[in-house]
Amino acid sequence: MPGKALGEDSPDRKPIRVALLGCGTVGTEVVRLLTGQADDLTARIGAPVELVGIAVRKPNKHRDVPAELLTTDSAALVAGDVDVVVELIGGIEPARTLLLDALRAGKSVVSANKALLAEHSAELFEAADASGADLYFEAAVAGAIPLLRPLRESLAGDRITRVMGIVNGTTNFILSGMDSTGASYSETLEEATRLGYAEADPTADVDGFDAASKAAILASLAFHSRVTASDVYREGIASVSAADIAAAKGLGRTVKLLAICERVTRDGHESVAVRVHPAMIPRTHPLAGVNGAFNAVFVEADAAGEMMFYGQGAGGAPTASAVLGDLVAAARNRVVGGRGPRESAYAGLSARPMGQTPTRYHISLDVADRPGVLSQVAAVFAEHDVSIAAVRQEGRVDDASLVIVTHAATDAALRSTVDKIGGLPVVREVVSVMRVEGEES
């Protein structure tokens, strides 16, 4: 297959031959950057880069890339004479098989496939270790934000205790819009779709699947343990109402879909709690000011303290930037004989079930306006060993409501409390329940 040498007039070294799987929005940007920055990339790597082929399903739809590079036979492209395989097709299969074939053959892999890495990273790392190949995946989480490499390398000498972030631009755009305009979820989703921030089928985003895959990857790196997407507790944002947003404002908070990964120690046993769900956070928290389609991740470590990574979490050019960063690292290792970081899963911490994870609730109740309501509700909290941090009663007669914010308790205890309260004769309806993160108020 004919290839296109990039930066041929640079140092006289054997080119690093690259195969690209997928040429959608991100792939097209990768090709553009490879071509436009050829000389700079060659200088950084120490050898020119040669794009030998691009595997796509429908070649006639890719008129922005050289036709001679296009092929529909991805397996043959991977099996050919290439040094690095860049995978941007997404999904589990055929990506899993193609990348395993590449790694077993000693070819380095660069991937942006969060779903694959969240489910099969152990298998991929084992194949990479067996052959001495590199596996890089910076673009799988938070687009252009340099996040995974700091977790894998810069903070390798520290003990990370918590990672909490906004890792999905679509849901952040929707929740930010609801907060700023007071509009409903459905209205804001419609606007996000019209502007291109939401897919025609937004399920993966709004139901939290995308964020859960990213949370699994973050937890695996941060806590040196194997965490898969199935270990992640997941709730989406479809049930978040304009009333929830207004209630958060009344508490000096805003609502974000958060990916939360944390070490939890109970009875001398340490485990990892990983969850994705909407939560109220104080407007003073650094993540509260992250609006629109931007992403940000807040990291807490023993020695380094608190730090935040912020930037564009999606889009063709930002994600391609992360892909190119990985490509340079993998190619440079080929030139100088080095190797990238291996899997670090020595800690082997187990995933803690959501029911055993400590959290806090904001509960809004529609109640009868009569004496003793608060005492009956409080008795249920006491019965389940859940402490009340704040309580506020609003309205009278038919519009009476009770708003309660709890102290930390296990999620199972909080859920049982809510279920029991919902059955009290004085409670007409449990209007909303939302978790609360950040300092207690």
Side-chain angles (χ1 to χ4, degrees):
M1 179 180 296
K4 182 176 181 180
L6 306 174
E8 290 178 331
D9 56 344
S10 296
D12 185 20
R13 286 182 176 268
K14 179 182 177 182
I16 299 298
R17 294 169 61 82
V18 177
L20 177 61
L21 308 181
C23 198
T25 303
V26 177
T28 301
E29 286 296 317
V30 167
V31 174
R32 182 183 68 80
L33 292 174
L34 276 173
T35 304
Q37 300 181 16
D39 291 340
D40 285 340
L41 292 174
T42 298
R44 295 167 193 165
I45 293 168
V49 176
E50 183 178 356
L51 185 59
V52 300
I54 305 171
V56 296
R57 287 188 299 174
K58 299 178 180 179
N60 62 331
K61 289 193 173 183
H62 300 274
R63 298 177 182 176
D64 294 335
V65 298
E68 67 270 17
L69 294 179
L70 297 174
T71 178
T72 57
D73 194 341
S74 54
L77 178 60
V78 168
D81 181 17
V82 297
D83 300 299
V84 182
V85 175
V86 177
E87 183 268 313
L88 301 174
I89 55 180
I92 304 299
E93 290 293 353
R96 172 182 163 275
T97 298
L98 291 169
L99 296 193
L100 285 174
D101 288 345
L103 291 168
R104 287 166 179 163
K107 300 169 185 181
S108 297
V109 163
V110 173
S111 176
N113 193 332
K114 64 252 179 187
L116 177 63
L117 288 158
E119 293 293 347
H120 297 284
S121 62
E123 186 179 19
L124 294 171
F125 271 119
E126 287 169 1
D129 287 343
S131 67
D134 282 337
L135 174 60
Y136 284 99
F137 46 93
E138 183 68 57
V141 180
I145 304 172
L147 174 62
L148 302 190
R149 191 162 297 160
L151 292 179
R152 295 174 84 181
E153 300 177 41
S154 304
L155 294 171
D158 209 339
R159 181 179 183 273
I160 297 173
T161 56
R162 200 165 198 252
V163 179
M164 180 171 78
I166 298 164
V167 295
N168 183 273
T170 298
T171 52
N172 200 49
F173 180 89
I174 292 170
L175 293 174
S176 297
M178 293 174 68
D179 183 85
S180 62
T181 67
S184 68
Y185 165 77
S186 58
E187 291 171 331
T188 314
L189 172 60
E190 184 178 343
E191 177 71 1
T193 304
R194 186 183 67 81
L195 295 174
Y197 289 108
E199 301 287 344
D201 179 3
T203 302
D205 295 318
V206 300
D207 285 354
F209 290 101
D210 176 83
S213 292
K214 295 170 181 176
I217 295 170
L218 289 172
S220 297
L221 296 180
F223 306 126
H224 306 279
S225 301
R226 289 179 173 175
V227 179
T228 67
S230 61
D231 296 319
V232 181
Y233 175 83
R234 174 189 55 79
E235 283 182 21
I237 66 169
S239 62
V240 177
S241 67
D244 292 327
I245 301 293
K249 282 186 175 182
L251 293 170
R253 293 175 176 264
T254 188
V255 177
K256 299 292 185 182
L257 181 72
L258 298 178
I260 303 171
C261 318
E262 57 192 344
R263 294 177 184 266
V264 178
T265 301
R266 188 176 184 184
D267 299 327
H269 174 68
E270 188 174 54
S271 59
V272 175
V274 190
R275 48 200 166 104
V276 168
H277 55 69
M280 295 181 180
I281 60 173
R283 289 187 179 269
T284 54
H285 193 284
L287 291 176
V290 179
N291 294 314
F294 279 79
N295 284 190
V297 176
F298 197 74
V299 179
E300 300 174 33
D302 281 351
E306 299 177 343
M307 64 205 85
M308 190 170 83
F309 300 83
Y310 169 84
Q312 296 192 57
T319 306
S321 171
V323 171
L324 263 291
D326 280 351
L327 176 57
V328 167
R332 187 184 291 142
N333 290 341
R334 290 272 167 172
V335 172
V336 302
R339 291 185 66 181
R342 324 317 301 162
E343 182 189 29
S344 177
Y346 73 89
L349 299 179
S350 61
R352 180 176 289 270
M354 186 61 185
Q356 299 175 20
T357 299
T359 185
R360 298 168 58 217
Y361 275 18
H362 171 279
I363 306 164
S364 179
L365 306 173
D366 181 2
V367 297
D369 183 25
R370 69 179 69 160
V373 170
L374 181 57
S375 62
Q376 291 185 54
V377 171
V380 176
F381 278 88
E383 178 186 337
H384 292 85
D385 293 322
V386 175
S387 177
I388 296 175
V391 60
R392 184 175 75 247
Q393 186 165 354
E394 300 174 344
R396 298 297 300 272
V397 193
D398 292 338
D399 293 324
S401 64
L402 200 61
V403 176
I404 298 169
V405 179
T406 75
H407 286 297
T410 63
D411 200 76
L414 288 163
R415 177 54 59 186
S416 296
T417 301
V418 171
D419 290 344
K420 182 79 175 282
I421 287 173
L424 292 176
V426 295
V427 175
R428 290 191 287 252
E429 181 186 5
V430 178
V431 178
S432 72
V433 177
M434 185 171 293
R435 293 177 182 86
V436 178
E437 294 293 327
E439 72 268 13
E440 297 197 4
S441 57

